[in-house]
Amino acid sequence: MHTVVDGVPGGLMADPLRHLLTWDRAGKPPVVLFEPGRYLVSDAEIVRTVLASTTEPFEARAATLGAASDWIPGSPKSRPVNAAIARELDTVLRSLPKERIAEELAATMGGEVWPTAVSGLYLRLFGERLLPDLTPSARKALNRALAFSNRRDRDKSAVLALRRRIAHSRAEAALHRWASDRDGDTGLQKAIHDTVGSMDDVALMLHGLIGAICRATAMVISWCVLLDSGWRLGMPAGATLTRGEPRDPVEDRVREALRLWPTAWLMSRKVTTPVEVGGVALSPGERLYLCTFLLHRDPRVWNDADEYLPSRWGNPPEGYKAVYLPYGFGAAACVGSRFVNQATARVLECWSELPAAKIELRKENPVMGPILAPPEFRFVQDQV
């Protein structure tokens, strides 16, 4: 009832982009074995069913705040924190003046490499509001941990993994000190602490939240910039693009970038009880990998599915809601999804106020790691 994906050493995960771009929907079942105990799911109905589960038969542990002990996203325990996070993020977004966004954005266009540079931008914009009175040394620790997370997508070395763990430990220690000093705080930190009851878990969850918001938003804005400027798969490193200023609404460009290159391109769920899915008998401990990349390019739903066409969102195709899942689905869907979309749209609105610049590709291909990262690029000023 299932097949093994082959073709290159290591199978699907050794070269996921090549496999997924040439995926034979007619020739493959909806649930495909690609490694022992690991199955790829490409059927929208199955994906939505699995994502709607938080405990049995599938456990939702692949979430931003899942590092805390005994934490099940979408459970009654998590709802107060999710509501507090949503309120805080809305407040932060409303408090950011357009002039400040443009100033920080311009600072990242001086030759720094994207998307890493823009991750730091969002840390500066949002971190000081979500984590008020954070010391300079603590901000430095957070920024360093964020930088190592971005490098993780491209560098798998053991030395980097060790340095990344050290950087994350220092960032979490800094957040532990910050939260411990804020007795009586009525914001995000208090909402988390009242739910989890442990300062260690407060630090873990704050670190996970800040990192996820900064990285996800950085990836989406970077994809929008590249796609608006005419980037297409296969363009070599060293190629130069003219920075685009399209006429399509910013919201439609964000939605289309997330359709074509979803940051959460592969979501994992662990099987907790014996269950049959798509004709496959699954055992506890096995994992399903839910592929939004394939859902978002299903030619049965999307015309010109592999093309960047923001105009399609003026009249989206019938049935698109069933297959468009950039942030998951159900109770465990990403709590920051609205914030990421709106923050990206606000930044894109600032382009017309920035100096002209071209885009130089530093890398050729996207990186399909824990998140789907665009090829690295930087801005170069036009020569007068």
Side-chain angles (χ1 to χ4, degrees), residues 200-240:
D200 289 341
D201 284 347
V202 170
L204 278 172
M205 295 175 72
L206 285 172
H207 188 212
L209 175 65
I210 294 296
I213 287 173
C214 292
R215 295 190 73 213
T217 315
M219 299 307 161
V220 178
I221 185 69
S222 297
W223 277 118
C224 287
V225 169
L226 281 179
L227 293 165
D228 285 345
S229 303
W231 177 85
R232 295 296 182 269
L233 192 65
M235 287 185 173
T240 302

mmCIF file of all heavy atoms in Angstrom, residues 200-240:
data_model
loop_
_atom_site.group_PDB
_atom_site.id
_atom_site.type_symbol
_atom_site.label_atom_id
_atom_site.label_comp_id
_atom_site.label_asym_id
_atom_site.label_seq_id
_atom_site.Cartn_x
_atom_site.Cartn_y
_atom_site.Cartn_z
ATOM 1 N N ASP A 200 12.101 28.094 34.154
ATOM 2 C CA ASP A 200 12.868 27.456 33.086
ATOM 3 C C ASP A 200 12.032 27.353 31.812
ATOM 4 O O ASP A 200 12.505 27.635 30.709
ATOM 5 C CB ASP A 200 13.330 26.062 33.504
ATOM 6 C CG ASP A 200 14.417 26.098 34.566
ATOM 7 O OD1 ASP A 200 15.063 27.162 34.719
ATOM 8 O OD2 ASP A 200 14.619 25.078 35.241
ATOM 9 N N ASP A 201 10.769 26.930 31.974
ATOM 10 C CA ASP A 201 9.894 26.812 30.812
ATOM 11 C C ASP A 201 9.524 28.175 30.248
ATOM 12 O O ASP A 201 9.345 28.332 29.033
ATOM 13 C CB ASP A 201 8.627 26.046 31.176
ATOM 14 C CG ASP A 201 8.860 24.550 31.290
ATOM 15 O OD1 ASP A 201 9.940 24.093 30.849
ATOM 16 O OD2 ASP A 201 7.984 23.840 31.813
ATOM 17 N N VAL A 202 9.396 29.188 31.112
ATOM 18 C CA VAL A 202 9.140 30.551 30.623
ATOM 19 C C VAL A 202 10.260 30.981 29.689
ATOM 20 O O VAL A 202 10.019 31.510 28.590
ATOM 21 C CB VAL A 202 9.002 31.542 31.795
ATOM 22 C CG1 VAL A 202 8.990 32.982 31.285
ATOM 23 C CG2 VAL A 202 7.732 31.254 32.589
ATOM 24 N N ALA A 203 11.500 30.756 30.099
ATOM 25 C CA ALA A 203 12.647 31.149 29.272
ATOM 26 C C ALA A 203 12.660 30.375 27.956
ATOM 27 O O ALA A 203 12.916 30.951 26.887
ATOM 28 C CB ALA A 203 13.943 30.921 30.042
ATOM 29 N N LEU A 204 12.395 29.062 28.025
ATOM 30 C CA LEU A 204 12.358 28.243 26.812
ATOM 31 C C LEU A 204 11.300 28.744 25.836
ATOM 32 O O LEU A 204 11.546 28.868 24.625
ATOM 33 C CB LEU A 204 12.066 26.791 27.175
ATOM 34 C CG LEU A 204 13.232 25.925 27.649
ATOM 35 C CD1 LEU A 204 12.713 24.588 28.156
ATOM 36 C CD2 LEU A 204 14.231 25.704 26.533
ATOM 37 N N MET A 205 10.108 29.045 26.365
ATOM 38 C CA MET A 205 9.009 29.432 25.501
ATOM 39 C C MET A 205 9.216 30.823 24.921
ATOM 40 O O MET A 205 8.910 31.069 23.750
ATOM 41 C CB MET A 205 7.696 29.336 26.265
ATOM 42 C CG MET A 205 7.352 27.908 26.657
ATOM 43 S SD MET A 205 5.873 27.758 27.681
ATOM 44 C CE MET A 205 4.604 28.109 26.482
ATOM 45 N N LEU A 206 9.736 31.753 25.715
ATOM 46 C CA LEU A 206 10.032 33.086 25.198
ATOM 47 C C LEU A 206 11.079 33.018 24.095
ATOM 48 O O LEU A 206 10.960 33.681 23.060
ATOM 49 C CB LEU A 206 10.510 33.997 26.329
ATOM 50 C CG LEU A 206 9.449 34.508 27.299
ATOM 51 C CD1 LEU A 206 10.117 35.236 28.467
ATOM 52 C CD2 LEU A 206 8.461 35.433 26.594
ATOM 53 N N HIS A 207 12.102 32.216 24.322
ATOM 54 C CA HIS A 207 13.147 32.079 23.315
ATOM 55 C C HIS A 207 12.584 31.464 22.034
ATOM 56 O O HIS A 207 12.868 31.938 20.922
ATOM 57 C CB HIS A 207 14.286 31.219 23.863
ATOM 58 C CG HIS A 207 15.477 31.186 22.970
ATOM 59 N ND1 HIS A 207 16.299 30.097 22.869
ATOM 60 C CD2 HIS A 207 15.980 32.108 22.107
ATOM 61 C CE1 HIS A 207 17.271 30.350 22.004
ATOM 62 N NE2 HIS A 207 17.087 31.558 21.529
ATOM 63 N N GLY A 208 11.769 30.420 22.178
ATOM 64 C CA GLY A 208 11.168 29.803 21.005
ATOM 65 C C GLY A 208 10.260 30.753 20.259
ATOM 66 O O GLY A 208 10.273 30.801 19.015
ATOM 67 N N LEU A 209 9.494 31.538 20.988
ATOM 68 C CA LEU A 209 8.569 32.491 20.364
ATOM 69 C C LEU A 209 9.314 33.571 19.596
ATOM 70 O O LEU A 209 9.019 33.844 18.421
ATOM 71 C CB LEU A 209 7.679 33.118 21.436
ATOM 72 C CG LEU A 209 6.737 34.220 20.957
ATOM 73 C CD1 LEU A 209 5.709 33.654 19.999
ATOM 74 C CD2 LEU A 209 6.071 34.901 22.148
ATOM 75 N N ILE A 210 10.288 34.197 20.250
ATOM 76 C CA ILE A 210 11.034 35.274 19.598
ATOM 77 C C ILE A 210 11.766 34.751 18.370
ATOM 78 O O ILE A 210 11.749 35.358 17.287
ATOM 79 C CB ILE A 210 12.038 35.910 20.587
ATOM 80 C CG1 ILE A 210 11.291 36.614 21.721
ATOM 81 C CG2 ILE A 210 12.950 36.892 19.869
ATOM 82 C CD1 ILE A 210 10.451 37.781 21.299
ATOM 83 N N GLY A 211 12.415 33.602 18.525
ATOM 84 C CA GLY A 211 13.149 33.041 17.397
ATOM 85 C C GLY A 211 12.236 32.696 16.238
ATOM 86 O O GLY A 211 12.555 32.981 15.074
ATOM 87 N N ALA A 212 11.086 32.085 16.517
ATOM 88 C CA ALA A 212 10.168 31.692 15.450
ATOM 89 C C ALA A 212 9.601 32.899 14.725
ATOM 90 O O ALA A 212 9.513 32.919 13.488
ATOM 91 C CB ALA A 212 9.037 30.838 16.036
ATOM 92 N N ILE A 213 9.224 33.926 15.482
ATOM 93 C CA ILE A 213 8.662 35.124 14.858
ATOM 94 C C ILE A 213 9.687 35.805 13.968
ATOM 95 O O ILE A 213 9.413 36.155 12.809
ATOM 96 C CB ILE A 213 8.163 36.098 15.942
ATOM 97 C CG1 ILE A 213 6.886 35.567 16.585
ATOM 98 C CG2 ILE A 213 7.910 37.484 15.352
ATOM 99 C CD1 ILE A 213 6.430 36.382 17.754
ATOM 100 N N CYS A 214 10.888 35.991 14.482
ATOM 101 C CA CYS A 214 11.923 36.696 13.714
ATOM 102 C C CYS A 214 12.320 35.911 12.467
ATOM 103 O O CYS A 214 12.467 36.483 11.377
ATOM 104 C CB CYS A 214 13.144 36.954 14.587
ATOM 105 S SG CYS A 214 12.871 38.141 15.918
ATOM 106 N N ARG A 215 12.492 34.619 12.606
ATOM 107 C CA ARG A 215 12.934 33.824 11.460
ATOM 108 C C ARG A 215 11.824 33.666 10.433
ATOM 109 O O ARG A 215 12.050 33.814 9.227
ATOM 110 C CB ARG A 215 13.421 32.459 11.920
ATOM 111 C CG ARG A 215 14.667 32.516 12.797
ATOM 112 C CD ARG A 215 15.238 31.134 13.026
ATOM 113 N NE ARG A 215 15.876 30.626 11.824
ATOM 114 C CZ ARG A 215 15.906 29.343 11.486
ATOM 115 N NH1 ARG A 215 15.306 28.446 12.231
ATOM 116 N NH2 ARG A 215 16.531 28.954 10.402
ATOM 117 N N ALA A 216 10.611 33.354 10.878
ATOM 118 C CA ALA A 216 9.514 33.162 9.927
ATOM 119 C C ALA A 216 9.235 34.435 9.145
ATOM 120 O O ALA A 216 9.076 34.406 7.919
ATOM 121 C CB ALA A 216 8.261 32.697 10.664
ATOM 122 N N THR A 217 9.189 35.558 9.851
ATOM 123 C CA THR A 217 8.911 36.817 9.170
ATOM 124 C C THR A 217 10.041 37.177 8.224
ATOM 125 O O THR A 217 9.807 37.672 7.116
ATOM 126 C CB THR A 217 8.698 37.944 10.200
ATOM 127 O OG1 THR A 217 7.843 37.485 11.242
ATOM 128 C CG2 THR A 217 8.065 39.155 9.551
ATOM 129 N N ALA A 218 11.273 36.908 8.627
ATOM 130 C CA ALA A 218 12.421 37.194 7.765
ATOM 131 C C ALA A 218 12.375 36.358 6.492
ATOM 132 O O ALA A 218 12.704 36.852 5.400
ATOM 133 C CB ALA A 218 13.720 36.932 8.514
ATOM 134 N N MET A 219 11.983 35.094 6.606
ATOM 135 C CA MET A 219 11.911 34.247 5.418
ATOM 136 C C MET A 219 10.827 34.721 4.463
ATOM 137 O O MET A 219 11.020 34.773 3.248
ATOM 138 C CB MET A 219 11.656 32.791 5.813
ATOM 139 C CG MET A 219 12.725 32.180 6.688
ATOM 140 S SD MET A 219 14.400 32.349 6.011
ATOM 141 C CE MET A 219 15.389 32.089 7.483
ATOM 142 N N VAL A 220 9.657 35.086 5.009
ATOM 143 C CA VAL A 220 8.553 35.505 4.138
ATOM 144 C C VAL A 220 8.889 36.793 3.410
ATOM 145 O O VAL A 220 8.676 36.915 2.195
ATOM 146 C CB VAL A 220 7.253 35.652 4.954
ATOM 147 C CG1 VAL A 220 6.120 36.132 4.048
ATOM 148 C CG2 VAL A 220 6.867 34.335 5.598
ATOM 149 N N ILE A 221 9.437 37.790 4.112
ATOM 150 C CA ILE A 221 9.787 39.051 3.441
ATOM 151 C C ILE A 221 10.886 38.822 2.414
ATOM 152 O O ILE A 221 10.876 39.404 1.326
ATOM 153 C CB ILE A 221 10.197 40.133 4.470
ATOM 154 C CG1 ILE A 221 10.437 41.481 3.788
ATOM 155 C CG2 ILE A 221 11.440 39.746 5.232
ATOM 156 C CD1 ILE A 221 9.215 42.128 3.251
ATOM 157 N N SER A 222 11.833 37.937 2.709
ATOM 158 C CA SER A 222 12.911 37.661 1.762
ATOM 159 C C SER A 222 12.378 36.986 0.503
ATOM 160 O O SER A 222 12.791 37.308 -0.620
ATOM 161 C CB SER A 222 13.985 36.793 2.419
ATOM 162 O OG SER A 222 14.592 37.464 3.505
ATOM 163 N N TRP A 223 11.453 36.050 0.673
ATOM 164 C CA TRP A 223 10.832 35.425 -0.494
ATOM 165 C C TRP A 223 10.087 36.458 -1.325
ATOM 166 O O TRP A 223 10.172 36.460 -2.567
ATOM 167 C CB TRP A 223 9.875 34.320 -0.063
ATOM 168 C CG TRP A 223 10.515 33.010 0.223
ATOM 169 C CD1 TRP A 223 10.534 32.323 1.402
ATOM 170 C CD2 TRP A 223 11.238 32.193 -0.709
ATOM 171 N NE1 TRP A 223 11.220 31.146 1.273
ATOM 172 C CE2 TRP A 223 11.661 31.033 -0.017
ATOM 173 C CE3 TRP A 223 11.572 32.335 -2.058
ATOM 174 C CZ2 TRP A 223 12.397 30.024 -0.626
ATOM 175 C CZ3 TRP A 223 12.302 31.329 -2.670
ATOM 176 C CH2 TRP A 223 12.705 30.188 -1.968
ATOM 177 N N CYS A 224 9.338 37.347 -0.663
ATOM 178 C CA CYS A 224 8.589 38.370 -1.400
ATOM 179 C C CYS A 224 9.531 39.263 -2.197
ATOM 180 O O CYS A 224 9.267 39.574 -3.375
ATOM 181 C CB CYS A 224 7.767 39.216 -0.424
ATOM 182 S SG CYS A 224 6.322 38.373 0.271
ATOM 183 N N VAL A 225 10.624 39.694 -1.579
ATOM 184 C CA VAL A 225 11.576 40.573 -2.263
ATOM 185 C C VAL A 225 12.152 39.879 -3.496
ATOM 186 O O VAL A 225 12.229 40.461 -4.586
ATOM 187 C CB VAL A 225 12.694 40.998 -1.293
ATOM 188 C CG1 VAL A 225 13.836 41.681 -2.045
ATOM 189 C CG2 VAL A 225 12.135 41.924 -0.228
ATOM 190 N N LEU A 226 12.569 38.630 -3.342
ATOM 191 C CA LEU A 226 13.146 37.900 -4.473
ATOM 192 C C LEU A 226 12.127 37.685 -5.590
ATOM 193 O O LEU A 226 12.408 37.916 -6.768
ATOM 194 C CB LEU A 226 13.676 36.550 -4.004
ATOM 195 C CG LEU A 226 15.031 36.530 -3.290
ATOM 196 C CD1 LEU A 226 15.371 35.100 -2.871
ATOM 197 C CD2 LEU A 226 16.137 37.080 -4.185
ATOM 198 N N LEU A 227 10.946 37.224 -5.236
ATOM 199 C CA LEU A 227 9.935 36.924 -6.246
ATOM 200 C C LEU A 227 9.431 38.191 -6.930
ATOM 201 O O LEU A 227 9.206 38.202 -8.153
ATOM 202 C CB LEU A 227 8.781 36.158 -5.604
ATOM 203 C CG LEU A 227 9.140 34.749 -5.119
ATOM 204 C CD1 LEU A 227 8.061 34.207 -4.179
ATOM 205 C CD2 LEU A 227 9.343 33.796 -6.291
ATOM 206 N N ASP A 228 9.262 39.261 -6.172
ATOM 207 C CA ASP A 228 8.866 40.542 -6.776
ATOM 208 C C ASP A 228 9.916 41.058 -7.760
ATOM 209 O O ASP A 228 9.594 41.792 -8.694
ATOM 210 C CB ASP A 228 8.653 41.599 -5.685
ATOM 211 C CG ASP A 228 7.350 41.408 -4.923
ATOM 212 O OD1 ASP A 228 6.483 40.647 -5.408
ATOM 213 O OD2 ASP A 228 7.206 42.010 -3.842
ATOM 214 N N SER A 229 11.163 40.660 -7.530
ATOM 215 C CA SER A 229 12.263 41.139 -8.368
ATOM 216 C C SER A 229 12.556 40.213 -9.546
ATOM 217 O O SER A 229 13.519 40.426 -10.279
ATOM 218 C CB SER A 229 13.528 41.305 -7.511
ATOM 219 O OG SER A 229 13.287 42.186 -6.427
ATOM 220 N N GLY A 230 11.741 39.180 -9.715
ATOM 221 C CA GLY A 230 11.879 38.312 -10.879
ATOM 222 C C GLY A 230 12.715 37.065 -10.668
ATOM 223 O O GLY A 230 13.045 36.379 -11.643
ATOM 224 N N TRP A 231 13.063 36.747 -9.406
ATOM 225 C CA TRP A 231 13.852 35.530 -9.176
ATOM 226 C C TRP A 231 13.063 34.306 -9.588
ATOM 227 O O TRP A 231 11.846 34.206 -9.353
ATOM 228 C CB TRP A 231 14.224 35.407 -7.704
ATOM 229 C CG TRP A 231 14.969 34.131 -7.401
ATOM 230 C CD1 TRP A 231 16.299 33.905 -7.522
ATOM 231 C CD2 TRP A 231 14.392 32.888 -6.949
ATOM 232 N NE1 TRP A 231 16.605 32.605 -7.172
ATOM 233 C CE2 TRP A 231 15.457 31.957 -6.825
ATOM 234 C CE3 TRP A 231 13.092 32.472 -6.657
ATOM 235 C CZ2 TRP A 231 15.246 30.649 -6.393
ATOM 236 C CZ3 TRP A 231 12.884 31.167 -6.243
ATOM 237 C CH2 TRP A 231 13.951 30.268 -6.108
ATOM 238 N N ARG A 232 13.757 33.375 -10.224
ATOM 239 C CA ARG A 232 13.172 32.085 -10.572
ATOM 240 C C ARG A 232 14.169 30.993 -10.249
ATOM 241 O O ARG A 232 15.390 31.214 -10.298
ATOM 242 C CB ARG A 232 12.806 32.031 -12.062
ATOM 243 C CG ARG A 232 11.702 32.997 -12.485
ATOM 244 C CD ARG A 232 10.376 32.659 -11.814
ATOM 245 N NE ARG A 232 9.293 33.560 -12.240
ATOM 246 C CZ ARG A 232 8.970 34.685 -11.626
ATOM 247 N NH1 ARG A 232 9.663 35.072 -10.552
ATOM 248 N NH2 ARG A 232 7.977 35.422 -12.055
ATOM 249 N N LEU A 233 13.666 29.825 -9.934
ATOM 250 C CA LEU A 233 14.513 28.693 -9.613
ATOM 251 C C LEU A 233 15.468 28.415 -10.767
ATOM 252 O O LEU A 233 15.067 28.404 -11.930
ATOM 253 C CB LEU A 233 13.647 27.463 -9.350
ATOM 254 C CG LEU A 233 14.332 26.249 -8.734
ATOM 255 C CD1 LEU A 233 14.814 26.572 -7.336
ATOM 256 C CD2 LEU A 233 13.355 25.065 -8.696
ATOM 257 N N GLY A 234 16.737 28.207 -10.444
ATOM 258 C CA GLY A 234 17.743 27.941 -11.459
ATOM 259 C C GLY A 234 18.659 29.110 -11.740
ATOM 260 O O GLY A 234 19.685 28.935 -12.407
ATOM 261 N N MET A 235 18.318 30.309 -11.239
ATOM 262 C CA MET A 235 19.212 31.445 -11.421
ATOM 263 C C MET A 235 20.498 31.205 -10.647
ATOM 264 O O MET A 235 20.462 30.835 -9.467
ATOM 265 C CB MET A 235 18.549 32.739 -10.952
ATOM 266 C CG MET A 235 17.459 33.236 -11.871
ATOM 267 S SD MET A 235 16.814 34.849 -11.347
ATOM 268 C CE MET A 235 15.730 35.231 -12.714
ATOM 269 N N PRO A 236 21.660 31.401 -11.256
ATOM 270 C CA PRO A 236 22.922 31.054 -10.600
ATOM 271 C C PRO A 236 23.365 32.091 -9.586
ATOM 272 O O PRO A 236 22.957 33.267 -9.643
ATOM 273 C CB PRO A 236 23.901 30.993 -11.781
ATOM 274 C CG PRO A 236 23.353 32.000 -12.748
ATOM 275 C CD PRO A 236 21.861 31.898 -12.640
ATOM 276 N N ALA A 237 24.211 31.678 -8.656
ATOM 277 C CA ALA A 237 24.851 32.620 -7.738
ATOM 278 C C ALA A 237 25.640 33.635 -8.565
ATOM 279 O O ALA A 237 26.267 33.288 -9.557
ATOM 280 C CB ALA A 237 25.770 31.881 -6.784
ATOM 281 N N GLY A 238 25.586 34.892 -8.147
ATOM 282 C CA GLY A 238 26.249 35.954 -8.881
ATOM 283 C C GLY A 238 25.328 36.726 -9.797
ATOM 284 O O GLY A 238 25.669 37.824 -10.244
ATOM 285 N N ALA A 239 24.146 36.158 -10.085
ATOM 286 C CA ALA A 239 23.182 36.866 -10.926
ATOM 287 C C ALA A 239 22.681 38.110 -10.192
ATOM 288 O O ALA A 239 22.602 38.149 -8.962
ATOM 289 C CB ALA A 239 22.022 35.951 -11.281
ATOM 290 N N THR A 240 22.343 39.139 -10.963
ATOM 291 C CA THR A 240 21.875 40.399 -10.398
ATOM 292 C C THR A 240 20.451 40.674 -10.868
ATOM 293 O O THR A 240 20.136 40.538 -12.052
ATOM 294 C CB THR A 240 22.788 41.565 -10.819
ATOM 295 O OG1 THR A 240 24.119 41.288 -10.378
ATOM 296 C CG2 THR A 240 22.323 42.871 -10.199
#
